[in-house]
C-alpha cells in the first residue's frame, strides 16, 4: 500500500470528504495540494504506527491550541473523537495548554471543542 493509499483510507475514516473539500477550495490555486495533504499528513504521519493515532491527536490538539489555530483545531478535535479520545480527555489537553499557549488560547480551544461537541450532539 502506498502512503497516499494509507492516507486516503485514514483521512476518510477520521475526516470524510477532506480531500475533496481541499481540492474544491484550493485546487485552482495549488494543484495537488489535496493529494499532498492526504499523502504527507495522513499517509506519512498519522498512519505511521510508531505512535498510536490517539496520541498523535493529543499532540496535534495541544499544538493547535497553543498556536490559536481554531479552524484546524476543530477538524482535529473531530478526528480525535473518531480515534477514541473522550470529550474530557480533549478538554484536559486543551486546558493544559493554558500553561504554554496562554489562558486566551486555552479558552478559545475549549470554545472550539464545545462547538465540535455540539455538532456531534446534533447529528
Amino acid at each position: 500500500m502506498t502512503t497516499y493509499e494509507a492516507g486516503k483510507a485514514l483521512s476518510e475514516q477520521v475526516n470524510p470528504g477532506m480531500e475533496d473539500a481541499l481540492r474544491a477550495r484550493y485546487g485552482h490555486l495549488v494543484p495537488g495540494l489535496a493529494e499532498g495533504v492526504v499523502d504527507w499528513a495522513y499517509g506519512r504521519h498519522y498512519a505511521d504506527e510508531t505512535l498510536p493515532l490517539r496520541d498523535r491527536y493529543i499532540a496535534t490538539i495541544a499544538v493547535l491550541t497553543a498556536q490559536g489555530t481554531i479552524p484546524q483545531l476543530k477538524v482535529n478535535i473531530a478526528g480525535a473523537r473518531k480515534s477514541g479520545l473522550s470529550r474530557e480527555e480533549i478538554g484536559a489537553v486543551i486546558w493544559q495548554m493554558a500553561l504554554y499557549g496562554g489562558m486566551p488560547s486555552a479558552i478559545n480551544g475549549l470554545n472550539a471543542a464545545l462547538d465540535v461537541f455540539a455538532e456531534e450532539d446534533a447529528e
Side-chain angles (χ1 to χ4, degrees), residues 77-78 81 85-91 94 109-123:
I77 289 170
R81 293 286 292 140
L85 267 76
S86 71
R87 291 176 177 196
E88 293 77 14
E89 288 171 320
I90 291 168
I94 292 169
L110 290 171
N111 285 328
L114 291 174
D115 289 347
V116 172
F117 302 157
E119 290 174 17
E120 282 181 354
D121 292 341
E123 291 177 357

Side-chain angles (χ1 to χ4, degrees), residues 1 3 8-9 25 29 32 35 37-38 47-48 53-54 59 68 70 73-74 93 95 103 106 110 113 118 122:
M1 178 180 290
T3 55
K8 179 72 172 178
R25 177 106 173 137
L29 292 174
E35 295 82 3
V37 169
V38 168
D48 177 353
L53 183 60
R54 73 181 314 278
I70 300 304
L73 177 59
K74 287 181 175 183
V93 170
W95 188 239
M103 184 82 61
L110 290 171

Side-chain angles (χ1 to χ4, degrees), residues 6-100:
K8 179 72 172 178
L10 182 57
S11 69
E12 285 301 317
Q13 175 189 335
V14 297
N15 194 0
M18 179 206 63
E19 183 178 7
D20 291 337
L22 289 172
R23 187 178 298 108
R25 177 106 173 137
Y26 304 110
H28 67 289
L29 292 174
V30 185
L33 178 142
E35 295 82 3
V37 169
V38 168
D39 179 61
W40 189 68
Y42 286 86
R44 296 177 188 264
H45 290 272
Y46 281 101
D48 177 353
E49 295 178 356
T50 306
L51 190 63
L53 183 60
R54 73 181 314 278
D55 295 353
R56 289 183 187 280
Y57 273 114
I58 288 170
T60 302
I61 288 169
V63 73
L64 292 175
T65 297
Q67 289 177 336
T69 314
I70 300 304
Q72 291 79 12
L73 177 59
K74 287 181 175 183
V75 168
N76 283 279
I77 289 170
R81 293 286 292 140
K82 292 175 184 166
S83 74
L85 267 76
S86 71
R87 291 176 177 196
E88 293 77 14
E89 288 171 320
I90 291 168
V93 170
I94 292 169
W95 188 239
Q96 180 70 19
M97 291 305 100
L99 296 171
Y100 302 99

